[in-house]
């Protein structure tokens, strides 16, 4: 490692199992200096932060939460490759003081890979409550590894940890070579495999014993790398040893290794951990009983989620409270709520900003002023109006996650979700999807089953995001009173039914092809605790960040393109009337498709154009309608277009269900790593939206009249 | 794989409050890796906290609480520990 080049910089990788308090410690260690990015080539978040201490800049890299280094998940591969990359100088492995028996497993595996490791016991303030006594010094002596106990709650041990990092970096303490765990009965096999591995080019880079242990367990990453290096013969010889083990022990090699590792761990823990028997280890046992009840559990969970969304919707758009007040005759009160909703206030702000900009730009050419005010401020403003809403969804979901309620909700809704071919793991992507589909599709990674994940990726775009809520609210506001409310609720219900239906359909298809058995749940239920502000903020920011990036880049571009398309002809000459513009001529090609919904002539291409723009970003539909008609509000725009009630219903349904927005499509492609899956999703959505809107039109004609 | 002796029962069949020792995990590939990492190794003691049909089963293993779908719990074979008997 080139320490001279780095000067006084120490790179510290931080790894730990899920729920051991890694985010909390990371935040305390780095204070506010955190950078969020993605790991190269994948959409897994990478957090980095730094802290200056005693003349060093200690640079922390947070690795994904993992249970082991088996390379069976993307997160495990990322963590492992980073530790082995040679970049980190020191590795922190976090162990939960309240459950050391299980969480030490990762530490043992880490020590086999990386010698400059520090074992950090988190939540050390809780050991008393749990009746646990850990002899840290004995553990440190036995493993010859520095051990530090910290507590994020009381902030103890933080300075000691920083001191230890520096000492390990300077080589004053800590291991010089990786840990050689004695594999007992497997020892002869490990030794044979190690002799073989030493012939491989890989062993120049990585600890040979660790390579041997991993290769024996059929580690695909390592074996593939060896094959790439042209060491097929070595691989075959190792595989021979592997099948020998299987023949002797009559069970899978992975299981034998895990068993030996855990029994070594149990031996070790027996020497350093004493558990005093206490009456109730868990204070919240009653709550778990509630969530695990087959009827009460789902009811409690659904109530929590419904409540959260009722709060968010009302705060943000005034919906559904405003429409309820309208329909019972309190129009003024409804308007008040609408204007003082977060969305309303932001809208006012951007109108004001546009006015100010127009004054400031006095004297500039007209087209430039229009571009800035209508194009940039108007367009980006129309999107930033959603920011508080996305923020609230993210915040409340982060609270659920950090308090430990989230896995309990997932557990209690598992049986319900199983009926449509999903597991409890799907509930959080779905909830996030009500905010924005982009983070939702990324969150589908929480499902440990690959086929279930693909099905989620293909169906999550049916979950109505907030952008669609605003569009639907805008269009539905043209209907009077309670009819508007019914339409919005009906379109939500339709979207959910279609989500469930398509989910089930894909599941049945997968099952016919023999891909799946049952969607299964395997979820750790951490103890409930009061959420920590910083962690909640961090989780929230993660979700919101994606949205801001989207608003700042894609939607900004879309607005500009849309503005140009409406103000210039196909020959790029300025046009006097919008109907001569480039946008209009493209839209006119598609407009015949809207004839079955009764749209004809001028109206047809205008609607087609708005929907085309909506493909780039759904929320832009409303803005496009406003620009096309020159109306102030969406309700006025709909009135000026002269749409019938049946057409409003049909347009609402179509907006709700048709193609995911561009950003969602990009994320579907990235997460599924398949253009085919992305295109199939778009096709499914288009066909369903088209059929649904025609049906909606026909039914509305029958029940509402034209 | 070892032939199944009749003393073994699937974890899924145990009532709330029961304790047992893991004998063998027969879950398909990706699941078994995660199960092993979570502490479901032969010899580990599991305690069933709640087992309410048709919902998931909630167990305690290695001092952590874990919620398991029934399909997975059906593939973990255990040897029930009778109260009063030592290990």
């Amino acid at each position: 490692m080139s320490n001279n080049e780095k000067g006084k910089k120490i790179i510290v990788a931080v790894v730990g199992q899920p729920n051991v308090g890694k985010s909390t410690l990371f935040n305390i260690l780095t204070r506010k200096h955190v950078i969020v990015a993605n790991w190269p080539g994948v959409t897994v978040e990478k957090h980095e932060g730094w802290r200056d201490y005693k003349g060093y800049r200690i640079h922390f890299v947070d690795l994904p939460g993992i249970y082991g280094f088996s390379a069976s998940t993307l997160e495990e591969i990322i963590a492992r490759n980073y530790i082995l990359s040679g970049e980190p100088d020191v590795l922190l492995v976090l162990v939960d003081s309240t459950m050391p028996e299980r969480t030490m497993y990762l530490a043992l595996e880490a020590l086999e890979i990386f010698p400059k490791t520090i074992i950090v016991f988190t939540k050390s303030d809780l050991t008393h409550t749990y009746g646990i006594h850990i002899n840290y010094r004995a553990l440190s002596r036995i493993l010859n590894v520095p051990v530090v106990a910290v507590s994020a709650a009381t902030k103890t041990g933080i300075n000691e940890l920083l001191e230890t990092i520096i000492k390990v970096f300077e080589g004053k303490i800590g291991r010089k070579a990786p840990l050689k765990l004695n594999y007992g009965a497997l020892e002869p096999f490990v030794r044979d495999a190690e002799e073989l591995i030493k012939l491989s080019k890989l062993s120049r880079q990585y600890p040979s014993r660790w390579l041997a242990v991993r290769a024996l367990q059929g580690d695909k990453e390592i074996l593939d790398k060896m094959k790439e290096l042209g060491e097929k013969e070595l691989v075959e010889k190792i595989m021979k040893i592997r099948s020998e083990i299987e023949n002797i022990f009559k069970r899978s090699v992975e299981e034998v290794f895990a068993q030996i590792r855990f029994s070594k761990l149990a031996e070790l823990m027996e020497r350093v951990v004493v558990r005093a028997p206490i009456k109730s280890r868990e204070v919240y046992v009653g709550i778990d009983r509630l969530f695990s009840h087959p009827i009460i559990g789902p009811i409690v969970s659904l109530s929590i989620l419904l409540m959260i969304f009722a709060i968010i919707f009302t705060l943000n758009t005034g919906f559904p409270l405003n429409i309820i007040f309208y329909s019972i005759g309190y129009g003024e009160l409804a308007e008040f709520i609408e204007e003082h909703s977060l969305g309303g206030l932001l809208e006012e702000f951007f109108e004001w900003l546009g006015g100010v900009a127009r004054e400031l730009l006095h004297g500039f050419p007209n087209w430039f002023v229009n571009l800035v005010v209508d194009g940039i401020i108007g367009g980006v403003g129309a999107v930033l109006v959603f920011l508080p809403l996305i923020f609230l969804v993210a915040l409340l979901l982060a609270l659920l996650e950090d308090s430990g309620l989230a896995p309990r909700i997932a557990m209690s809704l598992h049986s319900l979700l199983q009926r449509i071919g999903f597991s409890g793991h799907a509930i959080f992507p779905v909830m996030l999807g009500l905010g924005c589909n982009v983070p939702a599709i990324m969150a589908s990674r929480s499902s440990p089953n690959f086929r279930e994940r693909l099905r989620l990726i293909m169906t999550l775009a049916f979950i109505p995001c907030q952008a669609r809520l605003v569009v639907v609210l805008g269009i539905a506001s043209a209907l009077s009173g309670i009819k508007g409310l019914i339409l919005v609720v009906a379109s939500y219900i339709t979207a959910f039914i279609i989500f469930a239906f398509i989910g089930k359909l894909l599941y049945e298809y997968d099952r016919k092809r023999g891909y799946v058995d049952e969607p299964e749940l395997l979820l750790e239920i951490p103890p409930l605790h009061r959420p920590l502000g910083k962690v909640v903020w961090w989780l929230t920011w993660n979700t919101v960040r994606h949205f801001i990036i989207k608003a700042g880049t894609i939607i900004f571009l879309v607005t500009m393109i849309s503005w140009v398309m409406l103000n210039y002809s196909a020959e790029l000459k300025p046009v006097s009337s919008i109907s001569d513009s480039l946008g209009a001529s493209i839209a006119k090609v598609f407009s015949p498709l809207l004839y079955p919904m009764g749209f004809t002539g001028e109206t047809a291409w205008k609607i087609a154009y708005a929907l085309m723009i909506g493909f780039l970003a759904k929320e832009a539909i409303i803005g496009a309608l406003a620009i096309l008609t020159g109306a102030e509000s969406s309700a006025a725009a709909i009135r000026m277009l002269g749409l019938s009630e049946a057409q409003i219903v049909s347009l609402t349904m179509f907006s709700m269900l048709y193609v995911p927005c561009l950003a969602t499509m990009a994320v579907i492609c990235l997460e599924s790593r398949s253009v085919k899956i992305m295109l199939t999703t778009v096709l499914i959505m288009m066909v369903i939206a088209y059929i649904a809107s025609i049906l909606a039109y026909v039914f509305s004609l029958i029940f509402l009249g034209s | 794989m070892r032939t199944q002796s009749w003393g073994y029962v699937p974890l899924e069949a145990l009532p709330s409050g029961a304790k047992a020792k893991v004998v063998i995990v027969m879950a398909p590939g990706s699941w078994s890796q995660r199960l092993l990492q979570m502490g479901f190794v032969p010899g580990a003691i599991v305690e069933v906290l709640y087992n309410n049909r048709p919902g998931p089963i909630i167990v305690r293993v290695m001092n952590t609480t874990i919620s398991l779908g029934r399909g997975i719990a059906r593939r973990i074979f255990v040897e029930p520990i009778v109260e009063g008997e030592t290990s």
Side-chain angles (χ1 to χ4, degrees):
Chain A
M1 268 163 271
S2 51
N3 293 330
N4 294 336
E5 267 171 55
K6 282 174 197 157
K8 290 198 147 187
K9 189 174 174 187
I10 307 177
I11 298 181
V12 180
V14 186
V15 73
Q17 291 195 342
N19 305 313
V20 298
K22 189 160 59 69
S23 312
T24 317
L25 181 68
F26 185 80
N27 265 300
I28 287 171
L29 284 173
T30 57
R31 292 183 180 143
K32 281 173 201 134
H33 318 295
V34 178
I35 318 151
V36 188
N38 280 347
W39 289 94
V42 289
T43 45
V44 176
E45 303 261 354
K46 180 186 189 186
H47 298 259
E48 291 176 73
W50 48 267
R51 177 165 182 148
D52 290 327
Y53 191 79
K54 299 222 166 144
Y56 283 102
R57 169 151 294 190
I58 306 178
H59 189 92
F60 294 96
V61 179
D62 185 33
L63 300 175
I66 48 172
Y67 285 100
F69 290 106
S70 68
S72 62
T73 67
L74 183 61
E75 282 81 1
E76 287 182 358
I77 293 171
I78 290 171
R80 202 169 92 174
N81 287 347
Y82 182 71
I83 292 170
L84 289 169
S85 70
E87 201 180 297
D89 300 308
V90 177
L91 173 68
L92 305 186
V93 197
L94 274 44
V95 176
D96 191 330
S97 303
T98 63
M99 41 181 93
E101 294 86 351
R102 216 278 313 279
T103 50
M104 260 297 285
Y105 185 82
L106 187 74
L108 272 194
E109 283 207 297
L111 282 169
E112 289 182 288
I113 309 175
F114 196 81
K116 287 195 161 188
T117 298
I118 302 171
I119 298 180
V120 182
F121 276 84
T122 58
K123 308 179 191 172
S124 64
D125 58 305
L126 289 177
T127 47
H128 270 294
T129 344
Y130 284 76
I132 301 171
H133 299 274
I134 303 169
N135 189 343
Y136 302 113
R137 290 177 86 181
L139 182 68
S140 170
R141 205 180 49 238
I142 296 167
L143 292 176
N144 187 21
V145 174
V147 176
V148 184
V150 299
S151 158
T154 61
K155 303 245 162 62
T156 47
I158 303 297
N159 281 340
E160 193 195 337
L161 178 57
L162 295 170
E163 296 279 347
T164 313
I165 289 171
I166 292 174
K167 277 187 206 151
V168 170
F169 176 71
E170 289 172 345
K172 287 180 185 155
I173 52 170
R175 296 188 67 93
K176 302 285 175 279
L179 176 75
K180 286 190 177 175
L181 197 65
N182 187 334
Y183 281 99
L186 286 179
E187 207 44 47
F189 303 99
V190 173
R191 239 177 284 138
D192 284 356
E194 194 183 351
E195 286 308 312
L196 289 169
I197 287 276
K198 275 183 181 160
L199 304 172
S200 162
K201 288 187 191 105
L202 275 186
S203 67
R204 280 177 223 159
Q205 245 178 309
Y206 308 130
S208 56
R209 191 179 162 87
W210 175 74
L211 283 174
V213 169
R214 286 307 320 161
L216 281 180
Q217 290 178 77
D219 193 299
K220 242 183 94 55
E221 273 257 307
I222 289 172
L223 294 174
D224 284 353
K225 259 187 207 158
M226 288 175 72
K227 280 181 204 157
E228 267 170 46
L229 290 167
E231 300 168 342
K232 231 179 153 190
E233 254 175 74
L234 279 180
V235 172
E236 274 163 22
K237 281 182 187 161
I238 289 169
M239 287 296 108
K240 219 181 249 168
I241 304 179
R242 180 178 151 87
S243 48
E244 208 179 316
I245 299 175
E246 254 165 20
N247 278 332
I248 294 170
F249 292 86
K250 303 287 177 214
R251 51 179 68 197
S252 81
V253 183
E254 292 89 321
E255 197 178 308
V256 185
F257 269 103
Q259 190 184 359
I260 291 177
R261 216 175 273 131
F262 267 115
S263 73
K264 291 277 161 194
L265 199 55
E267 258 170 50
L268 183 65
M269 288 293 123
E270 214 160 273
R271 293 167 69 183
V272 300
V273 178
V274 179
R275 273 182 186 272
I278 43 168
K279 274 171 203 149
S280 123
R281 255 195 318 250
E282 284 195 51
V283 197
Y284 299 103
V285 164
I287 293 183
D288 282 354
R289 197 187 182 133
L290 214 64
F291 277 107
S292 70
H293 192 280
I295 295 158
I296 298 172
I299 292 176
V300 171
S301 293
L302 286 176
S303 310
I304 292 175
L305 296 176
L306 270 178
M307 218 165 63
I308 285 177
F309 280 95
I311 294 171
I312 292 169
F313 281 27
T314 306
L315 273 177
N316 194 61
T317 56
F319 172 82
L321 215 57
N322 57 344
I323 295 190
I324 294 173
F325 279 127
Y326 265 123
S327 57
I328 54 175
Y330 290 96
E332 271 171 45
L333 189 58
E335 246 162 63
F336 178 83
I337 292 172
E338 232 172 86
E339 277 166 22
H340 290 80
S341 68
L342 290 169
L345 290 174
L346 265 180
E347 213 169 298
E348 229 168 77
F349 168 76
F350 280 107
E351 257 169 49
W352 171 83
L353 191 68
V356 170
R358 210 174 272 280
E359 267 172 41
L360 283 178
L361 294 174
H362 193 75
F364 281 88
N366 222 14
W367 66 266
F368 181 73
V369 178
N370 282 342
L371 176 68
V372 172
V373 176
D374 296 336
I376 299 174
I377 297 181
V380 174
V383 177
L384 284 185
V385 165
F386 298 103
L387 194 60
L389 198 121
I390 305 277
F391 179 79
L392 280 169
V393 175
L395 176 74
L396 288 167
L397 290 182
L399 279 174
L400 287 184
E401 199 174 326
D402 196 49
S403 62
L405 271 175
R408 288 171 171 83
I409 290 175
M411 168 179 92
S412 66
L413 295 176
H414 175 67
S415 301
L416 273 179
L417 283 160
Q418 248 183 337
R419 288 175 194 220
I420 56 167
F422 291 121
S423 73
H425 295 282
I427 191 69
F428 280 88
V430 170
M431 290 299 124
L432 268 177
L434 285 166
C436 174
N437 288 172
V438 172
I441 287 167
M442 294 182 26
S444 67
R445 212 179 282 129
S446 63
S447 162
N449 182 299
F450 177 68
R451 296 303 307 183
E452 181 188 357
R453 221 194 128 199
L454 276 188
R455 296 199 300 274
L456 263 179
I457 289 173
M458 291 180 76
T459 45
L460 273 173
F462 278 115
I463 300 295
C465 64
Q466 292 297 324
R468 272 172 273 183
L469 172 65
V470 173
V471 174
V472 166
L473 283 178
I475 301 173
S477 65
L479 286 182
S480 55
I482 197 85
K483 276 185 193 165
L485 177 67
I486 294 173
L487 177 57
V488 175
V489 173
S491 63
Y492 261 76
I493 293 173
T494 312
F496 269 101
I497 290 175
I498 289 174
F499 165 76
F501 177 74
I502 299 294
K504 178 83 178 163
L505 212 67
L506 289 174
Y507 169 66
E508 291 300 332
Y509 175 75
D510 264 1
R511 211 162 65 158
K512 272 222 174 93
R513 290 178 51 181
Y515 276 134
V516 277
D517 25 29
E518 283 295 297
E520 277 306 339
L521 186 75
L522 178 54
L523 198 57
E524 191 175 333
I525 309 287
L528 285 172
H529 64 91
R530 192 147 36 96
L532 257 156
K534 268 194 176 165
V535 177
V536 169
W537 164 247
W538 196 11
L539 290 169
T540 309
W541 176 239
N542 269 348
T543 316
V544 172
R545 193 175 63 98
H546 295 294
F547 180 75
I548 293 178
I549 293 170
K550 180 181 143 198
T553 54
I554 298 176
I555 295 172
F556 176 78
L557 272 174
V558 167
T559 316
M560 302 281 280
I561 293 168
S562 167
W563 187 84
V564 170
M565 284 206 335
L566 286 183
N567 286 281
Y568 291 88
S569 67
E571 294 83 34
L572 290 180
K573 282 182 192 138
V575 289
S576 48
S577 147
I578 286 180
S579 58
D580 300 326
S581 68
L582 170 66
S585 42
I586 300 174
K588 279 170 186 163
V589 177
F590 291 106
S591 55
L593 284 170
L594 297 177
Y595 292 165
M597 285 90 111
F599 296 111
T600 49
E602 280 287 290
T603 318
W605 79 255
K606 282 181 179 168
I607 299 282
Y609 179 77
L611 292 174
M612 247 166 62
I613 291 296
F615 157 67
L616 301 169
K618 286 266 166 112
E619 46 274 61
I621 293 180
I622 294 293
L625 284 176
I627 294 173
L628 285 165
T629 55
E632 287 289 316
S633 73
S634 44
I638 304 276
R639 249 174 272 129
M640 287 171 79
L641 285 168
L643 300 192
S644 70
E645 284 188 343
Q647 282 174 326
I648 291 173
V649 173
S650 154
L651 185 60
T652 305
M653 283 301 169
F654 195 79
S655 305
M656 198 69 157
L657 300 171
Y658 85 121
V659 287
C661 68
L662 202 61
T664 309
M665 276 172 64
V667 139
I668 291 176
C669 205
L670 260 175
E671 291 290 313
S672 66
R673 289 163 185 269
S674 152
V675 179
K676 208 176 112 193
I677 284 188
M678 189 262 286
L679 291 176
T680 316
T681 310
V682 172
L683 187 74
I684 293 175
M685 292 191 82
M686 283 308 274
V687 170
I688 286 180
Y690 196 60
I691 296 172
S693 59
I694 294 175
L695 285 179
Y697 180 66
V698 173
F699 280 119
S700 314
L701 274 185
I702 296 167
F703 292 110
L704 295 169
S706 48
Chain B
M1 302 284 131
R2 174 188 293 175
T3 45
Q4 232 171 271
S5 114
W6 293 111
Y8 307 159
V9 292
L11 180 60
E12 193 235 2
L14 296 185
S16 306
K19 277 188 183 178
K21 200 196 252 176
V22 175
V23 177
I24 193 166
V25 177
M26 307 265 268
S30 59
W31 290 112
S32 77
Q33 189 65 54
R34 177 61 61 83
L35 283 167
L36 291 173
Q37 292 172 340
M38 285 181 143
F40 290 91
V41 287
I45 307 288
V46 282
E47 183 188 347
V48 180
L49 296 182
Y50 304 101
N51 187 355
N52 294 325
R53 273 160 210 287
I57 165 169
I58 303 163
V59 301
R60 212 160 159 82
V61 61
M62 306 239 169
N63 282 305
T64 51
T65 309
I66 289 164
S67 171
L68 291 164
R70 304 203 83 82
I72 292 182
R74 215 167 276 161
R75 291 180 171 89
I76 300 173
F77 292 92
V78 297
E79 196 178 338
I81 296 171
V82 185
E83 220 40 56
E85 202 179 294
T86 43
S87 85

